[in-house]
Amino acid sequence: MTERHPGPAARRGAVPVVLQDYLRRLDAAARALPSGERQDLRARVWTDVAAAAGPAPTGDRLARVLGELGPPEGLVPARAGGGPGGLRDPAVVHLLGCSLLSAGITGVIGLVRVWRAPSWPRRDAFVATLVVLAGAVALPVLAPVHPVPGAVLGGLGAGAPLAGVLLGVVLLRARRQ
């Protein structure tokens, strides 16, 4: 008669399947978060489950505790690029606002950064770009200046700071919520 060895899930210290599935779904939902935030979220779930389920939880007890936590997708703070919330990068506002002081260089950097930052929604990046372009078109049309320098001065000297103000308002509203 051969003795059967317990499978990996039955070994002491092994993660139960129901918890593995929950953490897998949590990892998939949190993949847009920075690494540190993902680790903090995962640690918080582990701590909450361990505190609620006790030292030797059964599968039913784990399922009940995980049900009380709610779906893992609901634990992930929504992020930019399709989701609300999340802390946005305030450096973008500063870079756009200082555009006139730096001969437009920080305005260009600010636009690139708002498009590349995962914390800013595409909608905000698009609006900021439109405001800069509107400034580039408006100054040569409204003032008697040469079109090329007027467009550069209007876009980076007027449009970029205005885009910085608009994104600053969005940033403040997001932080208040």
Side-chain angles (χ1 to χ4, degrees):
M1 176 180 253
T2 57
E3 193 175 308
R4 291 187 54 174
H5 294 285
R11 287 191 206 129
R12 181 173 170 82
V15 179
V17 174
V18 66
L19 184 57
Q20 285 178 1
D21 291 341
Y22 191 89
L23 292 173
R24 192 174 305 118
R25 287 177 49 205
L26 180 69
D27 290 340
R31 71 176 166 261
L33 294 177
S35 176
E37 289 183 40
R38 279 194 315 267
Q39 291 172 353
D40 290 345
L41 181 63
R42 202 173 199 331
R44 193 181 82 220
V45 168
W46 271 103
T47 303
D48 291 349
V49 169
T58 63
D60 292 339
R61 175 116 174 114
L62 273 175
R64 188 167 20 100
V65 168
L66 294 174
E68 290 171 4
L69 278 177
E73 296 81 9
L75 299 176
V76 178
R79 283 299 205 177
L87 293 178
R88 291 175 172 90
D89 181 12
V92 168
V93 175
H94 176 75
L95 289 167
L96 288 169
C98 293
S99 180
L100 185 60
L101 298 174
S102 66
I105 293 169
T106 60
V108 173
I109 294 169
L111 280 178
V112 169
R113 192 161 176 167
V114 77
W115 276 104
R116 294 185 50 90
S119 60
W120 283 97
R122 295 286 178 233
R123 170 184 37 96
D124 292 343
F126 184 70
V127 169
T129 303
L130 282 180
V131 169
V132 171
L133 292 175
V137 170
L139 187 65
V141 170
L142 298 175
V145 294
H146 191 273
V148 174
V152 171
L153 185 60
L156 298 175
L162 183 57
V165 168
L166 289 174
L167 291 180
V169 169
V170 169
L171 181 70
L172 289 175
R173 290 181 72 194
R175 288 194 175 184
R176 283 191 176 177
Q177 292 178 349

